[in-house]
Amino acid sequence: TTAGNDVTINMQKFYGTGLLNLHGFILFKEVLVDPASEGLRRLATLVSQGRLTPQIEVQEPWEKVAEVCQALTDRKFVGKAVLHVVK
């Protein structure tokens, strides 16, 4: 919801499937329970298995971090930003 779009879910399909859970996620509370690295590992695993498709809107080199952060703050795009770090 941080992207400003309405979030919709088909509750009939959700309940009809059964054995599912719906959870809220607030990063600042979650990292008190488990380290952020554990959640990132879990997300990376889901992406690699094709079970999660992130909505990546912007990909830029790490050197453009200021511009990307400003664009996020100004809500110039919907979706996620990826900054590439090259060794």
Side-chain angles (χ1 to χ4, degrees):
T1 61
T2 58
N5 292 337
D6 291 335
V7 177
T8 59
I9 183 172
N10 181 329
M11 294 308 291
Q12 183 178 14
K13 185 176 179 183
F14 177 78
Y15 288 124
T17 303
L19 301 175
L20 298 175
N21 294 307
L22 184 61
H23 296 275
F25 176 81
I26 300 173
L27 179 62
F28 303 108
K29 298 288 185 184
E30 298 292 328
V31 296
L32 296 175
V33 177
D34 291 314
S37 59
E38 178 61 26
L40 290 172
R41 182 199 59 76
R42 197 172 320 135
L43 288 173
T45 299
L46 291 171
V47 171
S48 70
Q49 293 172 345
R51 296 174 55 202
L52 176 66
T53 304
Q55 302 303 306
I56 298 170
E57 178 106 10
V58 171
Q59 294 191 53
E60 293 288 353
W62 177 254
E63 293 79 15
K64 292 192 174 187
V65 65
E67 294 94 335
V68 172
C69 286
Q70 189 62 55
L72 280 167
T73 301
D74 295 342
R75 299 205 182 273
K76 297 217 175 181
F77 60 88
V78 176
K80 305 301 178 201
V82 174
L83 296 172
H84 295 277
V85 179
V86 180
K87 292 183 179 183

